[in-house]
């Protein structure tokens, strides 16, 4: 089960040779995988703080704020990379980010029923 929980991160690592072999811009991989890892770390930290708070309002505020903030972080980062480095870099970063998020989201839906009372984010 632990392998499935981190399948998105494994895919990010496996994407690097694909980027190198196919001639896709390395900046796209760096931006896509980098902002994905950053937002995933933020989600983990927010979930831990929310679980530790014990207050429903704090939990909702942390989780909702984290979700909105991470979405903006990813969108603005990918947009900025595309504007600064070119559309190929931005597009490859966006496609990689969406692929990683899709794998993460799918694994969360599959694994959710098997989690114990204190689930990991």
């Amino acid at each position: 089960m632990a392998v499935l929980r981190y399948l998105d991160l494994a895919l990010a690592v496996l994407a690097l040779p694909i980027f190198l072999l196919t001639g896709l811009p390395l900046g796209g991989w760096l931006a896509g995988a980098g902002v994905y890892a950053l937002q995933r770390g933020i989600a983990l930290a927010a979930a831990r703080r929310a679980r530790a708070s014990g207050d429903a309002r704090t939990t909702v505020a942390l989780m909702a704020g984290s979700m909105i903030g991470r979405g903006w972080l990813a969108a603005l980062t990918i947009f900025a990379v595309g504007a600064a480095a070119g559309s190929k870099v931005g597009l490859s970063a966006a496609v990689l980010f969406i692929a990683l998020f899709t794998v993460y989201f799918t694994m969360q839906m599959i694994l959710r029923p098997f989690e114990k009372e204190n689930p990991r984010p």
Side-chain angles (χ1 to χ4, degrees), residues 6 34 58 89 91:
Y6 300 106
T58 303
V89 177
L91 179 61

Side-chain angles (χ1 to χ4, degrees), residues 31-33 35-36 39 70 74 78 92-102:
V35 76
Y36 181 79
Q39 70 84 30
R70 290 181 296 120
I78 290 171
S92 62
V95 169
L96 178 61
F97 184 92
I98 290 169
L100 296 174
F101 180 77
T102 300

Side-chain angles (χ1 to χ4, degrees), residues 18-88:
I18 294 170
F19 269 69
L20 294 172
L21 292 173
T22 60
L24 289 169
L26 188 58
W29 182 83
L30 288 170
V35 76
Y36 181 79
L38 178 62
Q39 70 84 30
R40 196 161 188 270
I42 292 169
L44 181 64
R48 284 185 180 158
R49 277 190 72 188
R51 262 197 316 270
S53 76
D55 177 43
R57 286 184 188 181
T58 303
T59 298
V60 170
L62 282 168
M63 298 309 291
S66 166
M67 187 177 5
I68 294 167
R70 290 181 296 120
W72 277 100
L73 171 70
L76 291 175
T77 300
I78 290 171
F79 177 75
V81 166
S87 61
K88 280 183 117 177

